[in-house]
Amino acid sequence: MITVGTYSNRLSTAATKGCFSDVGVASNIEHMFEWLDRVALAELSDEALISAVTAATQGEAAMAARRLALIGEVTARQCDDEDDTTAHQVIDGWAWAQAAVAAACNLNPYAASKQMRIAQALRDRLPRTAALFATGVISATVIDAITWRTHLVV
């Protein structure tokens, strides 16, 4: 049976260790389907089930924030120091970072570029919002809306 405490502990452990390290990936894969045990989920009370949904949502947001922070760093490393010569090449820093992010995240180029735009906004323009996102208080959908609707604000 899955208890909410165990569920929350695993989520917080996963969020702090992250899925980006090679250590623990095998154990994460081994346990990833424990959450789909319908019998154990059916035994949870309504309050425990909602608490588990809340914990999962916050953990998902925290992991998305970490992923976007990493994407922001990739983008910054490739695009921040571009001069006029490299910025107008066929494969500039943005295109290189876009290809790398697309490959790493299994995304199409458009989706990778969108993730890079969001990551860049959180890194450069909205660091306090990024901090809230990292705690799981704000969802990825809300972050997408915030970054898009504030992209013209200086």
Side-chain angles (χ1 to χ4, degrees), residues 37-72:
D37 182 6
R38 289 186 178 180
V39 174
L41 291 175
E43 294 175 2
L44 290 175
S45 68
D46 290 345
E47 294 81 16
L49 190 59
I50 294 301
S51 293
V53 170
T54 301
T57 302
Q58 290 175 341
E60 181 181 1
M63 290 308 297
R66 181 166 182 200
R67 180 178 44 80
L68 286 171
L70 294 169
I71 290 171

Side-chain angles (χ1 to χ4, degrees), residues 20-141:
F20 300 101
S21 64
D22 292 335
V23 178
V25 172
S27 65
N28 286 342
I29 292 171
E30 290 172 6
H31 299 290
M32 69 187 280
F33 292 107
E34 286 181 12
W35 314 115
L36 301 177
D37 182 6
R38 289 186 178 180
V39 174
L41 291 175
E43 294 175 2
L44 290 175
S45 68
D46 290 345
E47 294 81 16
L49 190 59
I50 294 301
S51 293
V53 170
T54 301
T57 302
Q58 290 175 341
E60 181 181 1
M63 290 308 297
R66 181 166 182 200
R67 180 178 44 80
L68 286 171
L70 294 169
I71 290 171
E73 183 62 24
V74 169
T75 305
R77 287 184 185 186
Q78 295 303 316
C79 299
D80 281 355
D81 294 331
E82 281 190 337
D83 57 12
D84 286 339
T85 305
T86 58
H88 297 294
Q89 292 177 348
V90 174
I91 301 295
D92 62 354
W94 187 270
W96 187 94
Q98 181 183 27
V101 169
C105 298
N106 196 24
L107 298 171
N108 66 43
Y110 172 77
S113 187
K114 180 179 178 182
Q115 293 294 298
M116 291 165 56
R117 177 192 54 79
I118 293 168
Q120 198 174 38
L122 290 172
R123 184 178 195 270
D124 299 337
R125 293 188 296 108
L126 304 166
R128 292 190 308 187
T129 304
L132 283 174
F133 187 33
T135 65
V137 175
I138 303 172
S139 72
T141 305

Side-chain angles (χ1 to χ4, degrees), residues 3-26:
T3 62
V4 175
T6 304
Y7 185 78
S8 297
N9 291 342
R10 285 188 183 163
L11 278 177
S12 63
T13 301
T16 56
K17 287 184 179 177
C19 65
F20 300 101
S21 64
D22 292 335
V23 178
V25 172

